[in-house]
Amino acid sequence: HMKKSIWILGFTLVLLAAFSGVLWSFSPEPSHEGAQEASPAVSAYLSVDGLYEHKEITVHPGDTVLMVLEEAYAADPAVRLRSKEYSGLGTLVTGIGGLENGTEGKYWQYRVNGAVPQVGAGSYLVAEGDDIEWFFATSNQ
């Protein structure tokens, strides 16, 4: 009779432990996911040949150089951004304002903090204080 009581007690404890584990997994815990969404916007700078010179802009975590240019176009129709999507390669900026790639052998390119990155504008993540410059020049620069 004693073995049966110990077994029932043990089984009950196991059930209680399992049940409390289930409750624990559903209990509200502080989430750090919301912290990312609430990350503060930061400042960066945008220059575009013929349009802007060192204009202060707001960027959010995860923004790319291409997103910054798209946002500038959404806010200012004079940007007249034109781009083309290439499968496997990403998006190529083909025109800004009145200047189209290939005109006089020049193409739209970008620099961040004075250096030309080796990745497309759709892959380069903007950081606080970055100085983004879109320039129209021959491709050997």
Side-chain angles (χ1 to χ4, degrees):
H1 208 62
M2 184 71 141
K3 285 184 180 181
K4 188 175 182 183
S5 296
I6 291 174
W7 186 85
I8 291 174
L9 179 63
F11 184 72
T12 304
L13 288 174
V14 167
L15 279 179
L16 281 173
F19 185 67
S20 67
V22 168
L23 286 178
W24 181 258
S25 69
F26 289 108
S27 68
E29 294 180 28
S31 172
H32 298 292
E33 291 174 26
Q36 285 181 337
E37 292 171 19
S39 292
V42 296
S43 291
Y45 301 92
L46 177 64
S47 298
V48 179
D49 276 359
L51 292 173
Y52 304 123
E53 187 65 38
H54 202 68
K55 177 183 177 179
E56 187 170 0
I57 56 170
T58 300
V59 295
H60 301 88
D63 282 358
T64 65
V65 169
L66 182 60
M67 290 167 70
V68 165
L69 190 58
E70 289 169 343
E71 288 171 18
Y73 179 41
D76 182 358
V79 173
R80 291 186 20 227
L81 173 65
R82 287 162 312 285
S83 60
K84 185 172 181 182
E85 182 74 29
Y86 288 92
S87 179
L89 296 175
T91 302
L92 176 69
V93 171
T94 59
I96 302 174
L99 300 173
E100 297 288 327
N101 280 354
T103 304
E104 298 176 11
K106 296 179 180 181
Y107 297 85
W108 282 105
Q109 302 161 65
Y110 78 100
R111 292 184 193 105
V112 177
N113 302 323
V116 177
Q118 298 302 307
V119 296
S123 298
Y124 192 100
L125 294 176
V126 180
E128 182 173 7
D130 275 352
D131 190 1
I132 303 161
E133 177 190 1
W134 282 92
F135 61 100
F136 194 65
T138 55
S139 57
N140 61 354
Q141 293 192 8

